[in-house]
Amino acid sequence: MKQNNLRFISRYKEAIHLSAVAILLALSWALRQFFTLPELVTNYLALAATISGGYPIAVKAIKALRERELIIDTLVTIAAVAAVAIGDYGEAGFVIFILLLGEFLEGVTVAKTSQAIKGLASLIPDTVKIRRGSEEVEIATAAIKIGDLIVVRPGEHIAIDGVIVRGEGAIDQALVTGESTPVERSAGDKVYSGTILATGALEIEATNVGEDTTVAKIEQMITEARTRKAPLERIVDRFAKYFVPAVLVFAVIVYLLTFDIRRAITILIVACPCALVLGTPTAVVAAIGAAARKGILIKGGRALEAAGKITTVIFDKTGTLTNGLLKVVEVKPICAEHDEKNVVELTAIAEKLSEHPLAKAILEKVAEWEYIVASPDDFTVKQGQGVEVRNNDLHIVVGNRSLLAENNIALSEEIEAYMQGREERGETVLIVAHSTEDCLGSGNGQDKNKDCCAKAVCGVISLADTIKADAKATLQILRNRKKRTKIALFTGDNARTASSIAAELKINVVAAELLPADKTRKVEELIAAGEKTAMVGDGINDAPALATADLGIAMGTLGSDITVQASDVTILHDDLASVPQVLDLGRKAVWVIRENIFFALLFNSGMIGLAALGLISMVIAAIFHQISSLIVILNSMRLLVMRKRS
Ligand code: ADP
Ligand code: MG
């Protein structure tokens, strides 16, 4: 809120400044015209307008000069001083006024864009009600501490991230994720700052406050995004650096050839590469703003440009193409002393601390019979393979074949055949093994204690996932894009499960049984083959691949921040359709940037030509110059309207 006020005040000041300059100019002109006051007086008024309007520009120019830099303001300052020197007071004042007016209009339009982005923070209420015993007290949002109980009523914004302890309600997450249907939440569910309670009543225990809330993190990402320049912008900046001195030299040459100082001044005014310099950043900000409103966070111009050039999109399977909401469909005990329940309970101990969707499915299963899961000692995640834990003197290993092989545990032909049968249906099969200490992980277990190891596999659990409802349609959109896009599936799951899913989704490039490092290597291979790659993943076991791809897209990240670091684009919700949207937005942004640069160069050089030939006056030059900047800005604004497809 405070920030908004400050911005408003500064805009207000600019407007007053602008009006003051305008009044001085108008007075000077009117007095000469209607009251035929001596020129001396009217000239003084125009000079006052020039100085008061031009002062901040000159200060900037001088500051830059101290750093041995020639900037656009340098050209304007020289032009104004020269115009005054030859007695064109009125013209000098008018040129300065036009430049200020242009800047003001630019400020207003750019502020509009920023607002599209910055809308979130202003929605966080300044105060909240918290429960203290039986009382409800109102405190400042900034004063909320972790563990406080926040009371939220319908229509109110949720100010912090937390867990519902009492009540239930429908939460509108549209402002954060862009998803328009409210989601039902009740005790035990997580809620996020920036969302709105549509119906119901909630008491929420604060888990993240201040800088750690979802909204604060989103804001921080967007702020950072705007400082990361696009490669195209860097090129333009470098160009502008040489452009300004070149214009100065050109103006001097024209003067020496024509002895027409007005022509030289006109060149200085018209040549300012403002439109050129504005072309990229305005487009980037508009595109990032459009995406942010849909719950898509793009980490700056580089990411945006990369998105525009993608030729291959690689998907992770679990949690990305599938819902990641796995269900246990069959439990098969292998050894005599365990029944189905035992097998799942052992597995639950091993998976208790894991974040993997598979682990969640197991824990959900035991929750059905209210089994209290013991906390394991020594929990080890084998990325892309499974988990290993110790519980008292028991070693439990849960994972895939490669993890079992690493532990020297053999699978009987019978189990293998059973597993293959399940996998062909697209299910993921977990092998659960346990043993006493000397048997497992001893490198050569089989010789040491044959009996124990023969019994090591105690069961297998088959889990089924469902393909996301929008997966098929999204892949079709990608295939039908104007820029043909190839699709690949990289997964840590086994080849049969992967092929079954790939067949259903008609993906023909499939690589399975990949460890995180293999995924990365595979991405590198594609890059080496000349593909521009986008990797779409949920960040579990695929963060390195996200970081390696030309564009890393992390999905479904609301409430988890593991992947945000590694990715270039973060999609807060689970909507796969955002993937083609991001690519199209990138493509469109690259086009708009190119249009802007092309237009600015053409317009600038055309105007320089006219000025050199003495065909336009200083005032016309100033007006045209501003118009070109505004055209570029308006062109960029087109990106704010993000269409579904382009
Ligand atoms: P994906 O590439 O499909 O997202 P992951 O790389 O996350 O798959 O996992 C690959 C395989 O590793 C899984 O199919 C499973 O067999 C095994 N695995 C990974 N994490 C676990 C876990 N926590 N418990 C058991 N198995 C696991
Ligand atoms: Mg995964």
Side-chain angles (χ1 to χ4, degrees), residues 160-241:
I160 40 81
D161 293 3
V163 176
I164 301 175
V165 282
R166 208 165 302 139
E168 52 186 30
I171 295 177
D172 178 355
Q173 309 202 10
L175 290 167
V176 180
T177 66
E179 268 170 328
S180 52
T181 21
V183 288
E184 297 291 334
R185 291 284 182 264
S186 57
D189 289 335
K190 278 191 182 168
V191 292
Y192 304 101
S193 56
T195 57
I196 307 169
L197 181 63
T199 58
L202 300 177
E203 270 182 48
I204 300 163
E205 184 179 327
T207 54
N208 299 67
V209 298
E211 302 265 280
D212 293 329
T213 59
T214 302
V215 162
K217 281 191 198 141
I218 293 175
E219 281 233 321
Q220 197 195 335
M221 259 192 76
I222 292 170
T223 316
E224 275 172 25
R226 297 167 70 183
T227 60
R228 283 175 213 217
K229 290 196 170 181
L232 272 171
E233 189 171 1
R234 291 227 180 79
I235 296 171
V236 168
D237 281 355
R238 221 175 305 144
F239 177 76
K241 230 177 176 174

Side-chain angles (χ1 to χ4, degrees), residues 316 318 519 538 540 542:
D316 172 52
T318 320
K519 283 190 190 172
D538 60 355
I540 299 174
D542 52 23

Side-chain angles (χ1 to χ4, degrees), residues 408-438:
N408 285 324
I409 305 170
L411 281 175
S412 71
E413 268 170 36
E414 190 197 341
I415 306 176
E416 180 59 44
Y418 168 80
M419 285 175 63
Q420 290 187 10
R422 310 279 340 177
E423 284 164 354
E424 266 152 24
R425 300 192 207 176
E427 293 171 12
T428 299
V429 186
L430 290 186
I431 312 160
V432 187
H434 78 326
S435 173
T436 49
E437 190 121 0
D438 9 292

Side-chain angles (χ1 to χ4, degrees), residues 76-88 92 261-262 264-265 268 618:
V76 175
T77 311
I78 296 174
V81 170
V84 168
I86 58 168
D88 285 357
I261 186 79
R262 287 189 179 83
I265 297 172
L268 293 185
M618 275 180 235

